[in-house]
Amino acid sequence: MDAIHAQGVRIAEALQNRLMDHEKLWLSVTHLGSPKAAFLLCFPATVYLSRRTGVAVIWAAIISEWLNLIFKWVLFGERPFWWIGESQLFRTNQPQVRQFPSTCETGPVVTAAVWWVMASNLSAFLYARTRSVVLMAVPFLLYLGFLLAVGISRIFILAHFPHQVVAGSVTGFVLGYALSRLVPDMRPLRFFVFLSGGLLLGTLLMHWGLERWGVDLSWSIALAERWCARADWIHLDTAPFSSLMRDSGAALGLGLAQHWRPQGWSLPRAPRALCMALTSLALYHLNRLALPPAPPVLFYGLFFAKHAAVPPVVMVLVPGLVHWLTRKGDKDK
Protein backbone atom coordinates (compact mmCIF):
# COMPACT_ATOMS: atom_id res chain seq x y z
CA MET A 1 0.00 0.00 0.00
CA ASP A 2 2.95 2.35 0.49
CA ALA A 3 3.37 2.72 -3.28
CA ILE A 4 -0.33 3.54 -3.72
CA HIS A 5 -0.23 6.04 -0.87
CA ALA A 6 2.97 7.66 -2.18
CA GLN A 7 1.42 8.03 -5.63
CA GLY A 8 -1.67 9.55 -4.02
CA VAL A 9 0.48 12.14 -2.22
CA ARG A 10 2.14 13.08 -5.51
CA ILE A 11 -1.29 13.48 -7.14
CA ALA A 12 -2.36 15.75 -4.26
CA GLU A 13 0.87 17.75 -4.70
CA ALA A 14 0.16 18.16 -8.42
CA LEU A 15 -3.42 19.28 -7.73
CA GLN A 16 -2.26 21.85 -5.19
CA ASN A 17 0.34 23.20 -7.62
CA ARG A 18 -2.26 23.58 -10.38
CA LEU A 19 -5.37 24.59 -8.39
CA MET A 20 -4.06 26.70 -5.52
CA ASP A 21 -5.22 29.91 -7.23
CA HIS A 22 -8.78 28.61 -6.77
CA GLU A 23 -8.34 27.53 -3.16
CA LYS A 24 -11.59 29.13 -1.95
CA LEU A 25 -13.59 27.38 -4.66
CA TRP A 26 -12.29 23.94 -3.70
CA LEU A 27 -12.82 24.58 0.00
CA SER A 28 -16.42 25.58 -0.77
CA VAL A 29 -16.91 22.39 -2.79
CA THR A 30 -15.61 20.22 0.04
CA HIS A 31 -17.96 21.98 2.49
CA LEU A 32 -20.91 21.33 0.16
CA GLY A 33 -19.94 17.67 0.17
CA SER A 34 -19.76 17.36 3.96
CA PRO A 35 -22.24 15.39 6.11
CA LYS A 36 -23.23 18.63 7.82
CA ALA A 37 -24.38 20.04 4.47
CA ALA A 38 -26.48 16.92 3.86
CA PHE A 39 -28.45 17.49 7.07
CA LEU A 40 -28.59 21.28 7.13
CA LEU A 41 -28.71 22.16 3.42
CA CYS A 42 -29.77 19.25 1.19
CA PHE A 43 -32.54 17.98 3.46
CA PRO A 44 -34.43 21.29 3.90
CA ALA A 45 -33.86 22.26 0.26
CA THR A 46 -35.54 19.07 -0.97
CA VAL A 47 -38.27 18.50 1.62
CA TYR A 48 -40.18 21.64 0.56
CA LEU A 49 -40.10 20.53 -3.06
CA SER A 50 -41.03 16.92 -2.38
CA ARG A 51 -41.70 15.62 1.11
CA ARG A 52 -40.81 12.03 0.25
CA THR A 53 -37.57 13.08 -1.44
CA GLY A 54 -36.62 15.13 1.62
CA VAL A 55 -37.23 12.12 3.87
CA ALA A 56 -35.15 9.98 1.49
CA VAL A 57 -32.30 12.50 1.63
CA ILE A 58 -32.04 12.59 5.42
CA TRP A 59 -32.55 8.81 5.56
CA ALA A 60 -29.61 8.32 3.16
CA ALA A 61 -27.51 10.80 5.17
CA ILE A 62 -28.19 9.00 8.46
CA ILE A 63 -27.43 5.48 7.27
CA SER A 64 -24.47 6.36 5.01
CA GLU A 65 -22.73 8.46 7.66
CA TRP A 66 -23.25 5.74 10.26
CA LEU A 67 -21.82 3.09 7.91
CA ASN A 68 -18.93 5.43 7.10
CA LEU A 69 -18.14 5.50 10.83
CA ILE A 70 -18.18 1.69 11.01
CA PHE A 71 -15.97 1.44 7.90
CA LYS A 72 -13.42 3.73 9.52
CA TRP A 73 -13.27 1.55 12.60
CA VAL A 74 -12.80 -1.74 10.76
CA LEU A 75 -10.75 -0.71 7.69
CA PHE A 76 -8.10 1.45 9.41
CA GLY A 77 -7.71 3.76 6.42
CA GLU A 78 -4.73 6.11 6.37
CA ARG A 79 -5.08 9.83 5.68
CA PRO A 80 -2.53 11.73 3.54
CA PHE A 81 -1.90 14.55 6.03
CA TRP A 82 -0.62 12.16 8.70
CA TRP A 83 0.73 9.39 6.45
CA ILE A 84 3.31 11.76 4.96
CA GLY A 85 4.93 12.11 8.38
CA GLU A 86 4.24 8.64 9.75
CA SER A 87 5.58 6.75 6.72
CA GLN A 88 9.07 8.30 6.92
CA LEU A 89 9.31 7.90 3.13
CA PHE A 90 9.79 11.59 2.36
CA ARG A 91 12.77 12.49 4.55
CA THR A 92 14.90 13.62 1.61
CA ASN A 93 12.16 14.67 -0.80
CA GLN A 94 9.33 16.30 1.12
CA PRO A 95 6.19 16.88 -0.98
CA GLN A 96 5.31 20.56 -1.34
CA VAL A 97 1.82 20.37 0.12
CA ARG A 98 -0.14 22.24 2.76
CA GLN A 99 -3.11 21.55 4.99
CA PHE A 100 -6.42 23.41 5.29
CA PRO A 101 -9.04 23.89 8.02
CA SER A 102 -11.14 21.05 6.51
CA THR A 103 -8.26 18.59 6.14
CA CYS A 104 -9.15 16.63 9.30
CA GLU A 105 -12.85 16.10 8.51
CA THR A 106 -15.05 13.43 6.83
CA GLY A 107 -15.31 11.82 3.39
CA PRO A 108 -17.25 11.16 0.16
CA VAL A 109 -19.55 8.27 1.14
CA VAL A 110 -22.32 10.56 2.45
CA THR A 111 -22.00 12.90 -0.53
CA ALA A 112 -22.42 10.15 -3.11
CA ALA A 113 -25.42 8.63 -1.32
CA VAL A 114 -27.31 11.85 -0.64
CA TRP A 115 -26.72 13.47 -4.01
CA TRP A 116 -27.71 10.26 -5.81
CA VAL A 117 -31.08 10.41 -4.07
CA MET A 118 -31.56 14.01 -5.19
CA ALA A 119 -30.32 13.38 -8.74
CA SER A 120 -32.45 10.27 -9.32
CA ASN A 121 -35.61 11.94 -8.00
CA LEU A 122 -35.03 15.05 -10.09
CA SER A 123 -34.42 12.89 -13.15
CA ALA A 124 -37.67 10.99 -12.59
CA PHE A 125 -39.55 14.28 -12.16
CA LEU A 126 -38.15 15.77 -15.38
CA TYR A 127 -38.94 12.65 -17.39
CA ALA A 128 -42.48 12.48 -16.02
CA ARG A 129 -43.06 16.11 -17.05
CA THR A 130 -41.29 16.17 -20.44
CA ARG A 131 -40.74 12.56 -21.57
CA SER A 132 -37.32 13.78 -22.69
CA VAL A 133 -34.44 11.33 -22.26
CA VAL A 134 -31.98 14.19 -22.69
CA LEU A 135 -33.44 16.19 -19.81
CA MET A 136 -33.70 13.01 -17.75
CA ALA A 137 -29.93 12.51 -18.14
CA VAL A 138 -28.99 16.05 -17.02
CA PRO A 139 -29.29 15.41 -13.23
CA PHE A 140 -27.07 12.32 -13.54
CA LEU A 141 -24.43 14.29 -15.44
CA LEU A 142 -24.54 17.00 -12.78
CA TYR A 143 -24.26 14.28 -10.12
CA LEU A 144 -21.14 12.85 -11.73
CA GLY A 145 -19.67 16.33 -12.16
CA PHE A 146 -20.31 17.27 -8.53
CA LEU A 147 -18.97 13.94 -7.27
CA LEU A 148 -15.80 14.46 -9.33
CA ALA A 149 -15.42 17.99 -7.95
CA VAL A 150 -15.88 16.81 -4.35
CA GLY A 151 -13.37 14.01 -4.93
CA ILE A 152 -10.79 16.43 -6.32
CA SER A 153 -11.38 18.77 -3.39
CA ARG A 154 -10.84 15.94 -0.86
CA ILE A 155 -7.52 15.00 -2.50
CA PHE A 156 -6.56 18.68 -2.84
CA ILE A 157 -6.92 19.34 0.90
CA LEU A 158 -5.05 16.10 1.85
CA ALA A 159 -8.13 14.59 3.49
CA HIS A 160 -8.16 11.39 1.39
CA PHE A 161 -6.11 9.42 -1.09
CA PRO A 162 -7.46 9.02 -4.63
CA HIS A 163 -8.28 5.32 -4.15
CA GLN A 164 -10.28 6.21 -0.99
CA VAL A 165 -12.26 8.81 -2.92
CA VAL A 166 -13.11 6.27 -5.63
CA ALA A 167 -14.06 3.58 -3.10
CA GLY A 168 -16.12 6.02 -1.03
CA SER A 169 -17.94 7.36 -4.09
CA VAL A 170 -18.81 3.89 -5.38
CA THR A 171 -19.95 2.80 -1.91
CA GLY A 172 -22.03 5.94 -1.53
CA PHE A 173 -23.65 5.44 -4.93
CA VAL A 174 -24.62 1.85 -4.04
CA LEU A 175 -26.00 2.98 -0.68
CA GLY A 176 -27.91 5.85 -2.27
CA TYR A 177 -29.42 3.51 -4.86
CA ALA A 178 -30.46 0.96 -2.22
CA LEU A 179 -31.68 3.41 0.41
CA SER A 180 -33.78 5.39 -2.08
CA ARG A 181 -35.90 2.24 -2.45
CA LEU A 182 -36.30 1.76 1.30
CA VAL A 183 -37.50 5.20 2.35
CA PRO A 184 -39.15 5.09 5.81
CA ASP A 185 -41.91 7.51 4.90
CA MET A 186 -45.00 7.27 7.13
CA ARG A 187 -43.43 4.67 9.38
CA PRO A 188 -44.64 4.62 13.02
CA LEU A 189 -42.71 6.47 15.71
CA ARG A 190 -41.52 3.23 17.32
CA PHE A 191 -39.60 2.38 14.12
CA PHE A 192 -37.51 5.53 14.51
CA VAL A 193 -37.13 5.08 18.28
CA PHE A 194 -35.75 1.59 17.67
CA LEU A 195 -33.60 2.87 14.78
CA SER A 196 -32.13 5.68 16.87
CA GLY A 197 -31.57 3.42 19.87
CA GLY A 198 -30.19 0.65 17.68
CA LEU A 199 -27.66 2.93 16.00
CA LEU A 200 -26.59 4.34 19.36
CA LEU A 201 -26.48 1.22 21.51
CA GLY A 202 -25.25 -1.07 18.72
CA THR A 203 -22.33 1.22 17.93
CA LEU A 204 -21.41 1.67 21.59
CA LEU A 205 -21.45 -2.11 22.09
CA MET A 206 -19.30 -2.58 18.99
CA HIS A 207 -16.88 0.05 20.27
CA TRP A 208 -16.72 -1.65 23.67
CA GLY A 209 -16.22 -5.09 22.11
CA LEU A 210 -13.45 -4.00 19.74
CA GLU A 211 -11.60 -2.25 22.52
CA ARG A 212 -11.97 -5.36 24.72
CA TRP A 213 -10.26 -7.32 21.93
CA GLY A 214 -7.39 -4.87 21.98
CA VAL A 215 -8.35 -2.75 18.97
CA ASP A 216 -7.37 0.89 19.51
CA LEU A 217 -10.25 2.82 17.93
CA SER A 218 -8.77 6.18 18.89
CA TRP A 219 -5.65 5.66 16.78
CA SER A 220 -6.83 8.04 14.06
CA ILE A 221 -7.63 10.78 16.59
CA ALA A 222 -4.14 10.48 18.06
CA LEU A 223 -2.56 10.72 14.59
CA ALA A 224 -4.74 13.69 13.66
CA GLU A 225 -3.73 15.50 16.85
CA ARG A 226 -0.08 14.74 16.13
CA TRP A 227 0.06 15.73 12.47
CA CYS A 228 -2.70 18.29 11.94
CA ALA A 229 -1.06 21.64 11.17
CA ARG A 230 -3.15 23.47 13.77
CA ALA A 231 -4.81 22.06 16.88
CA ASP A 232 -7.87 24.31 16.42
CA TRP A 233 -8.62 22.57 13.10
CA ILE A 234 -9.58 19.42 15.01
CA HIS A 235 -13.18 19.94 16.12
CA LEU A 236 -15.12 17.82 18.57
CA ASP A 237 -18.18 18.04 16.32
CA THR A 238 -16.32 16.07 13.59
CA ALA A 239 -15.23 13.28 15.97
CA PRO A 240 -16.62 9.75 15.38
CA PHE A 241 -19.03 9.91 18.32
CA SER A 242 -20.35 13.24 17.06
CA SER A 243 -21.28 11.53 13.79
CA LEU A 244 -23.06 8.85 15.79
CA MET A 245 -24.99 11.42 17.83
CA ARG A 246 -25.97 13.35 14.70
CA ASP A 247 -27.28 10.20 13.01
CA SER A 248 -29.16 8.76 15.99
CA GLY A 249 -30.54 12.20 16.92
CA ALA A 250 -31.71 12.92 13.37
CA ALA A 251 -33.34 9.48 13.19
CA LEU A 252 -35.37 10.18 16.32
CA GLY A 253 -36.19 13.69 15.10
CA LEU A 254 -37.43 12.32 11.78
CA GLY A 255 -39.76 9.97 13.63
CA LEU A 256 -41.08 12.76 15.83
CA ALA A 257 -41.68 15.04 12.85
CA GLN A 258 -43.68 12.38 11.01
CA HIS A 259 -45.55 11.42 14.17
CA TRP A 260 -46.57 15.00 14.96
CA ARG A 261 -47.60 15.84 11.40
CA PRO A 262 -47.95 12.62 9.35
CA GLN A 263 -49.15 14.30 6.14
CA GLY A 264 -47.06 17.44 6.48
CA TRP A 265 -48.43 20.86 5.57
CA SER A 266 -50.04 21.61 2.23
CA LEU A 267 -48.52 24.91 1.09
CA PRO A 268 -48.50 26.76 -2.27
CA ARG A 269 -45.20 27.69 -3.91
CA ALA A 270 -44.80 31.15 -2.40
CA PRO A 271 -45.25 29.99 1.21
CA ARG A 272 -42.84 27.11 0.54
CA ALA A 273 -40.23 29.64 -0.57
CA LEU A 274 -40.84 31.51 2.68
CA CYS A 275 -40.38 28.20 4.53
CA MET A 276 -36.98 27.75 2.89
CA ALA A 277 -35.90 31.23 3.93
CA LEU A 278 -37.08 30.85 7.53
CA THR A 279 -35.64 27.34 7.79
CA SER A 280 -32.26 28.55 6.55
CA LEU A 281 -32.29 31.24 9.24
CA ALA A 282 -33.36 28.77 11.97
CA LEU A 283 -30.79 26.12 11.03
CA TYR A 284 -28.05 28.72 10.70
CA HIS A 285 -28.56 29.77 14.31
CA LEU A 286 -29.02 26.18 15.47
CA ASN A 287 -25.72 25.22 13.82
CA ARG A 288 -23.94 28.18 15.40
CA LEU A 289 -25.20 27.27 18.85
CA ALA A 290 -22.07 26.73 20.90
CA LEU A 291 -21.96 23.59 23.05
CA PRO A 292 -19.75 23.14 26.11
CA PRO A 293 -16.88 20.76 25.17
CA ALA A 294 -16.66 19.33 28.69
CA PRO A 295 -17.71 17.05 30.12
CA PRO A 296 -17.92 14.94 26.93
CA VAL A 297 -21.17 13.27 28.03
CA LEU A 298 -22.86 16.69 28.19
CA PHE A 299 -21.46 17.74 24.81
CA TYR A 300 -22.60 14.56 23.07
CA GLY A 301 -26.02 14.67 24.75
CA LEU A 302 -26.59 18.24 23.59
CA PHE A 303 -25.23 17.38 20.13
CA PHE A 304 -27.81 14.58 19.95
CA ALA A 305 -30.61 16.96 20.97
CA LYS A 306 -29.41 19.62 18.54
CA HIS A 307 -29.72 17.29 15.56
CA ALA A 308 -32.90 15.67 16.82
CA ALA A 309 -34.42 19.14 16.52
CA VAL A 310 -33.57 19.51 12.82
CA PRO A 311 -36.38 17.39 11.24
CA PRO A 312 -39.16 18.83 13.48
CA VAL A 313 -37.96 22.37 12.74
CA VAL A 314 -37.87 21.71 9.00
CA MET A 315 -40.98 19.55 8.63
CA VAL A 316 -43.30 20.76 11.41
CA LEU A 317 -42.48 24.02 13.15
CA VAL A 318 -41.49 26.31 10.27
CA PRO A 319 -44.15 25.14 7.77
CA GLY A 320 -46.72 25.18 10.58
CA LEU A 321 -45.82 28.79 11.37
CA VAL A 322 -45.99 29.77 7.68
CA HIS A 323 -49.32 27.95 7.30
CA TRP A 324 -50.73 29.84 10.29
CA LEU A 325 -49.43 33.19 9.01
CA THR A 326 -50.79 32.72 5.49
CA ARG A 327 -54.21 31.57 6.75
CA LYS A 328 -54.33 34.51 9.12
CA GLY A 329 -53.47 36.84 6.27
CA ASP A 330 -56.23 35.38 4.09
CA LYS A 331 -58.80 35.82 6.87
CA ASP A 332 -57.82 39.44 7.42
CA LYS A 333 -58.50 40.34 3.78
Side-chain angles (χ1 to χ4, degrees):
M1 288 297 292
D2 281 349
I4 295 175
H5 288 149
Q7 185 62 35
V9 169
R10 293 307 178 189
I11 292 173
E13 182 180 31
L15 286 176
Q16 288 197 5
N17 288 337
R18 290 175 177 270
L19 304 177
M20 193 59 76
D21 290 342
H22 306 288
E23 171 189 340
K24 291 183 178 179
L25 170 64
W26 294 109
L27 291 180
S28 297
V29 169
T30 206
H31 284 307
L32 275 176
S34 69
K36 184 185 292 186
F39 287 90
L40 301 181
L41 180 63
C42 299
F43 166 55
T46 52
V47 78
Y48 294 127
L49 299 175
S50 166
R51 183 180 180 278
R52 181 178 172 81
T53 300
V55 172
V57 164
I58 195 170
W59 164 246
I62 290 168
I63 301 302
S64 61
E65 187 181 29
W66 177 76
L67 286 173
N68 189 48
L69 168 62
I70 302 303
F71 292 155
K72 286 181 179 179
W73 280 354
V74 299
L75 296 179
F76 299 97
E78 301 282 358
R79 302 284 285 275
F81 75 93
W82 75 53
W83 185 84
I84 292 171
E86 287 288 316
S87 68
Q88 302 294 313
L89 295 178
F90 299 98
R91 291 180 178 178
T92 58
N93 186 20
Q94 279 287 325
Q96 301 302 305
V97 291
R98 53 171 285 206
Q99 296 181 25
F100 302 87
S102 301
T103 294
C104 310
E105 296 177 6
T106 26
V109 174
V110 181
T111 307
V114 166
W115 285 77
W116 169 261
V117 172
M118 294 193 295
S120 59
N121 278 275
L122 178 58
S123 176
F125 172 79
L126 290 175
Y127 183 74
R129 286 298 183 92
T130 66
R131 296 296 171 182
S132 169
V133 176
V134 175
L135 282 178
M136 182 184 74
V138 169
F140 295 122
L141 294 176
L142 293 175
Y143 171 74
L144 291 174
F146 182 69
L147 214 56
L148 177 63
V150 170
I152 291 173
S153 74
R154 302 304 295 170
I155 300 168
F156 174 81
I157 66 173
L158 299 182
H160 289 91
F161 292 101
H163 72 279
Q164 292 172 333
V165 168
V166 173
S169 298
V170 172
T171 303
F173 160 72
V174 173
L175 284 172
Y177 181 84
L179 293 170
S180 64
R181 283 156 174 73
L182 301 169
V183 181
D185 193 20
M186 305 300 293
R187 298 295 295 266
L189 178 59
R190 64 178 178 274
F191 170 85
F192 295 96
V193 172
F194 290 145
L195 173 64
S196 178
L199 293 178
L200 187 58
L201 296 177
T203 307
L204 291 175
L205 283 173
M206 181 181 179
H207 183 275
W208 175 81
L210 289 173
E211 291 213 322
R212 289 277 292 180
W213 291 337
V215 179
D216 180 13
L217 296 178
S218 62
W219 67 278
S220 61
I221 297 174
L223 288 174
E225 291 174 345
R226 181 179 179 185
W227 293 106
C228 204
R230 289 176 52 176
D232 60 342
W233 287 352
I234 302 174
H235 304 291
L236 193 55
D237 64 358
T238 61
F241 278 115
S242 294
S243 297
L244 173 61
M245 293 301 154
R246 173 165 48 223
D247 300 333
S248 55
L252 179 60
L254 180 59
L256 291 172
Q258 295 195 89
H259 177 71
W260 289 334
R261 191 72 187 182
Q263 301 298 329
W265 297 93
S266 179
L267 296 170
R269 289 183 182 178
R272 275 187 276 174
L274 178 58
C275 283
M276 288 186 184
L278 292 177
T279 297
S280 299
L281 186 63
L283 295 184
Y284 172 77
H285 287 289
L286 183 64
N287 182 52
R288 284 176 56 87
L289 187 64
L291 303 180
V297 172
L298 176 61
F299 173 84
Y300 288 126
L302 292 175
F303 200 76
F304 176 96
K306 183 176 177 179
H307 287 86
V310 171
V313 166
V314 174
M315 299 176 68
V316 179
L317 298 180
V318 170
L321 174 63
V322 171
H323 182 263
W324 178 77
L325 289 174
T326 52
R327 282 193 61 190
K328 187 175 184 297
D330 290 341
K331 288 180 179 179
D332 291 341
K333 289 181 181 179

